[in-house]
């Protein structure tokens, strides 16, 4: 089939590469415009755009998918189907109607679970044992279209959003090609999503990544892994903001929430249940380092405590 591919970040690259290696004809790639990235905030192209240029594929980077020139060019290309993986912008109905077989979205969850912008992070934070990827027919609703196929993936106790998304991007790429194959030969039909089991995964903000040391150790462990590597867990402290890497849950119970105990080979922090052992810390403006190495330089007082976000106000009772 003649296919147009839309995607932007690194997790979309395996899908584009898989389609380029398949028997389908990728006639154009759509990606978000160049944007500042990295510590220097220099404008750069997206990983998907880089691959498209390397492959010699026509690249479209409209500021808005409503741009009339973009819509006209997409119409001229006359794709039979379009694939979209983490493109990062809403596609209007007039754009969705252009390909004869519609748009196929690769989403990194087992729909209807975790519809929305951060499905991998939500699955880890919720403590799910199994997640996966789904291909579905894109429609105006948020990830509500009928499903073509799924692949499943176990979530390990040490998975971060980064490690899990890497595996899902690879297995999902194979699923996307198989879906396109099935649409091309007419052997595949999408089926409506179940009415039950719907959940949503809102975009993760930097504020969401602040650690509440009053929470149970299990919840803190999941939250940190869910926001690693981006936006990255953090905590307030007497040394300013500290980035926090994944932790290990211990059986230590004599530390108050947020209380730090720095020993020769480990740094422990109290939580709402048992203490957690820090793996890495990143002071603002510095590189990440092993927690004991940081403690040897910072020399924290024995009873120092890390900050937690303010508690949400209690609801006001009605009359």
């Amino acid at each position: 089939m003649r296919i147009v591919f839309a995607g932007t970040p690194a997790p979309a690259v395996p899908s584009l590469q898989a389609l380029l290696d398949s028997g389908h004809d990728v006639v154009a790639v759509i990606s978000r415009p160049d944007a500042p990235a990295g510590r220097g905030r220099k404008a750069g192209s997206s990983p998907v755009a880089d691959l498209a240029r390397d492959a010699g594929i026509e690249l479209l980077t409209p500021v808005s998918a409503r741009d009339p020139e973009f819509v006209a060019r997409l119409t001229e290309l006359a794709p039979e189907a379009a694939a979209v993986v983490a493109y990062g912008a809403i596609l209007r109905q007039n754009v969705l109607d252009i390909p004869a077989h519609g748009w196929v979205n690769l989403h990194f969850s087992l729909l209807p679970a975790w519809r929305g912008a951060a499905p991998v992070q939500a699955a880890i934070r919720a403590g799910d044992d199994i997640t996966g990827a789904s291909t579905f027919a894109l429609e105006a609703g948020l990830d509500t279209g009928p499903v073509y196929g799924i692949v499943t993936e176990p979530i390990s106790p040490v998975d971060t959003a980064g490690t899990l998304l890497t595996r899902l991007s690879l297995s999902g790429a194979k699923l996307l090609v198989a879906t396109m194959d099935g649409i091309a030969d007419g052997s595949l039909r999408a089926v409506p999503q179940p009415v039950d089991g719907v959940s949503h995964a809102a975009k993760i903000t930097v504020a969401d990544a602040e650690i509440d040391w009053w929470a149970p150790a299990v919840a803190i462990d999941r939250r940190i892994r869910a926001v690693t590597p981006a936006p990255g867990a953090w905590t307030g402290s007497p040394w300013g903001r500290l980035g926090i890497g994944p932790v290990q849950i211990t059986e230590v119970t004599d530390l108050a929430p947020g209380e730090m105990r720095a020993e020769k080979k480990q740094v422990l922090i109290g939580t709402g249940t048992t203490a957690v052992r820090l793996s890495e810390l990143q002071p603002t403006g510095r590189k990440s380092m092993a927690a004991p190495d940081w403690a040897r330089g910072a020399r924290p007082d024995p009873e120092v405590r890390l900050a937690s976000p303010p508690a949400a106000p209690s609801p006001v009772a009605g009359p």
Side-chain angles (χ1 to χ4, degrees):
M1 288 194 300
R2 286 174 57 82
I3 291 175
V4 165
F5 180 87
T8 298
V13 168
S15 288
L16 174 56
Q17 187 63 63
L19 288 171
L20 292 172
D21 295 339
S22 73
H24 299 290
D25 182 16
V26 181
V27 297
V29 169
I30 308 165
S31 193
R32 299 294 294 153
D34 294 359
R39 297 184 65 180
R41 307 303 295 165
K42 293 183 179 178
S45 54
S46 74
V48 165
D50 290 343
L51 177 55
R53 291 192 181 98
D54 291 344
I57 305 295
E58 179 176 349
L59 177 63
L60 307 174
T61 57
V63 174
S64 168
R66 291 178 291 182
D67 181 349
E69 291 186 7
F70 163 70
V71 176
R73 179 56 187 149
L74 194 59
T75 303
E76 291 174 355
L77 289 167
E80 295 173 88
V84 56
V85 184
Y87 170 49
I90 295 175
L91 300 173
R92 301 283 179 173
Q93 192 61 51
N94 63 325
V95 173
L96 296 180
D97 290 340
I98 292 174
H101 294 292
W103 292 69
V104 177
N105 190 181
L106 173 64
H107 185 76
F108 296 117
S109 80
L110 298 175
L111 291 171
W114 304 129
R115 294 171 176 169
V120 175
Q121 295 86 342
I124 291 176
R125 185 171 173 178
D128 292 354
D129 294 322
I130 299 289
T131 186
S134 308
T135 50
F136 69 97
L138 199 61
E139 58 183 27
L142 179 63
D143 302 331
T144 56
V147 173
Y148 286 108
I150 64 169
V151 290
T152 60
E153 181 69 38
I155 302 176
S156 86
V158 295
D159 260 330
T160 64
T163 60
L164 181 56
L165 185 54
T166 296
R167 296 202 304 277
L168 289 172
S169 69
L170 297 175
S171 60
K174 296 178 181 177
L175 172 65
L176 183 60
V177 171
T179 300
M180 290 301 184
D181 292 345
I183 292 173
D185 64 20
S187 63
L188 188 61
R189 293 287 184 275
V191 298
Q193 295 184 27
V195 176
D196 298 328
V198 175
S199 52
H200 295 90
K203 182 178 180 180
I204 302 292
T205 68
V206 172
D208 295 329
E210 183 178 6
I211 301 170
D212 178 4
W213 297 108
W214 288 84
V218 169
I220 290 174
D221 166 56
R222 291 174 182 171
R223 176 183 290 259
I224 292 173
R225 290 189 291 111
V227 299
T228 300
W234 62 277
T235 182
S237 82
W239 303 272
R241 181 164 147 171
L242 296 174
I244 302 292
V247 298
Q248 294 176 313
I249 299 173
T250 74
E251 300 299 322
V252 176
T253 58
D254 62 342
L255 290 176
E259 184 179 355
M260 176 182 288
R261 176 183 294 160
E263 301 175 345
K264 186 175 182 179
K265 294 186 177 180
Q266 67 177 359
V267 177
L268 302 176
I269 307 293
T271 76
T273 53
T274 62
V276 295
R277 181 182 297 111
L278 302 186
S279 60
E280 292 188 338
L281 283 171
Q282 185 174 18
T284 300
R286 298 174 62 186
K287 293 183 178 179
S288 182
M289 64 187 76
D293 293 342
W294 170 84
R296 278 190 284 275
R299 297 182 179 181
D301 292 333
E303 296 184 354
V304 69
R305 292 195 183 191
L306 303 179
S308 289
S314 300
V316 177

